[in-house]
Amino acid sequence: MGRRGRKGRNISGILLLDKPPGMTSNAALQVVKRLFNACKAGHTGSLDPLATGVLPLCFGEATKFSQFLLDADKKYLARVKLGVITDSGDADGEVLERRPVPEIDDVRLEEVLQHYRGDITQIPSMFSALKVDGQPLYKLARKGIEVERKERPVSIYRLEASEREGDELTLLVHCSKGTYVRTLVEDIGKELGPGAHVIGLRRLAAGPFDAEETFTMSELEAKNGNWQEMDQLLLPVSSAVKNWPMVELTDVTASYLRQGQPVQVANAPTDGWVRIFSESDDNDEEFIGVGEILEDGKVAPRKLGVT
């Protein structure tokens, strides 16, 4: 027997969800997928159940380009509780230890934060979604199993304390892909002395998207069934890489690129990745996909949409 076709509407685009607290990213995806009655959808990197904020959801053709959002920088606002250590590094975990919180002046705090700016390494939390032998670490942790994790390089571009009150503080974090904010908070708390865990986390930005562009679950539910209004909330597939340099091809050049051939493009960047468009019949731009500039200056196709 052949494979069954997917049920639902064949729509393409990116929906910027403001993920509510208390849901996994996958649970939020499934709710939104049902609301849109979409046949194909995926999210672009897990947010902890405790976290809220920017969660780009990709539908249809956009799923081909979700990796570029997974690989993008992120920005967070993390609320931190000093003096309490949990097994998961956040408020959803079990309290392991409570310690007195000494007086920590601004100079000492800045000195510690400076240690975590730039290129650093982290050991992923046992409560992360990182998989080992196909199993998410958090599932092993819930069974009381701990496995060895390798250090991973990440980059912290900005790390600032924006607020302080008693034994709580708020950190603004701009980081590379793969950064575990709870691990960052645990490490900072350990160096400060009393330990720490995350009590609130909001993703302010993911790649080219920020929180002001998002829609809440209640806003989506209010439009449930009104496909025309719901589809207007979707961003074009090309918005996943909207900050990349753009190159435009003629119809002839585009046909060669679609066949997998690198092509010469006038006034193209000299290196790096680009988003590729071609001129359509009505003179509007049509998104083809993304490519990379080769050493000889040609544009090589790397990921293309429907051809």
Side-chain angles (χ1 to χ4, degrees), residues 214-288:
T214 60
F215 297 95
T216 65
M217 196 71 81
S218 59
E219 287 175 320
L220 299 179
E221 289 170 343
K223 298 179 185 296
N224 188 18
N226 189 332
W227 306 132
Q228 185 175 1
E229 285 192 12
M230 295 189 76
D231 291 353
Q232 288 176 352
L233 305 181
L234 297 178
L235 296 173
V237 175
S238 61
S239 64
V241 291
K242 66 179 181 178
N243 287 351
W244 292 15
M246 169 184 160
V247 296
E248 186 177 87
L249 311 182
T250 64
D251 285 343
V252 173
T253 307
S255 68
Y256 286 113
L257 185 108
R258 286 191 172 105
Q259 296 171 36
Q261 299 180 38
V263 295
Q264 197 76 49
V265 183
N267 302 317
T270 56
D271 59 16
W273 287 67
V274 294
R275 51 198 172 108
I276 307 171
F277 291 79
S278 73
E279 296 178 352
S280 60
D281 293 337
D282 56 6
N283 293 323
D284 287 337
E285 294 163 347
E286 177 188 352
F287 179 62
I288 297 177

Side-chain angles (χ1 to χ4, degrees), residues 63 90 109 230 268:
T63 59
D90 65 18
L109 178 59
M230 295 189 76

